[in-house]
Amino acid sequence: MRVWVACAAALLALVGAGAICVASASGTGQIKPCTAVRVTGGDENGAAGTTIAAVLVKNRGTRDCTVNARPWVRLGPFRYRVTVADAAPGEYGNAGDLEQVWTLHPGQRVAAGLFFFPGSCDRGVGSMFTLNARVGWARRGVSIGGGACKNGTGELSVGSFHRR
């Protein structure tokens, strides 16, 4: 009976030590997504009726954090169809890579570009509508806007984050 109790105690000690090792190992190397951020940006002029917008995300936290892929986008509701697509890597200068994960030290920032293409219409008063969107990261966002054709040919192309 004594040997069995001693073995059980030793087994519990080993299991407890293993759990402590697993818990401490799982905490290392894990950098959480950025949530303490400042999101800024806005519209810039583009050529041929295109509106270019930039979204900047800055780490306002006290620890490193990560940002990946592209900003979230909220549109509408609209009475007209608009296509939202990922900008291809290398498209429009440096749209970036959707697989890239950026580690931001406190104070560092990344940026993403958004490109509003109005579509194919005569761009007269009755053929276009104002396209307002909200874009951002985590729970922070900024309003951007452009114009789109009512015939459903307008497009919003969203670039991924990259160092700025």
Side-chain angles (χ1 to χ4, degrees), residues 55-99:
V55 177
L56 294 116
V57 176
K58 181 178 181 180
N59 180 3
R60 293 185 64 199
T62 58
R63 296 180 183 216
D64 291 355
C65 61
T66 60
V67 172
N68 67 330
R70 65 184 181 107
W72 51 256
V73 177
R74 293 191 184 116
L75 292 174
F78 299 118
R79 293 175 52 192
Y80 309 101
R81 187 173 62 93
V82 175
T83 302
V84 178
D86 291 331
E91 195 172 27
Y92 316 118
N94 183 15
D97 181 6
L98 290 176
E99 301 299 321

Side-chain angles (χ1 to χ4, degrees), residues 28-44:
T28 60
Q30 299 284 335
I31 300 176
K32 295 182 180 182
C34 294
T35 55
V37 297
R38 178 174 180 226
V39 176
T40 57
D43 303 334
E44 302 169 11

Side-chain angles (χ1 to χ4, degrees), residues 66-141:
T66 60
V67 172
N68 67 330
R70 65 184 181 107
W72 51 256
V73 177
R74 293 191 184 116
L75 292 174
F78 299 118
R79 293 175 52 192
Y80 309 101
R81 187 173 62 93
V82 175
T83 302
V84 178
D86 291 331
E91 195 172 27
Y92 316 118
N94 183 15
D97 181 6
L98 290 176
E99 301 299 321
Q100 179 70 49
V101 177
W102 298 103
T103 299
L104 301 181
H105 303 299
Q108 283 188 322
R109 64 184 179 176
V110 290
L114 294 98
F115 310 91
F116 290 99
F117 299 101
S120 57
C121 63
D122 65 8
R123 300 190 186 165
V125 176
S127 65
M128 294 190 70
F129 71 101
T130 302
L131 177 67
N132 293 313
R134 186 124 181 110
V135 296
W137 179 259
R139 293 185 178 187
R140 305 283 180 171

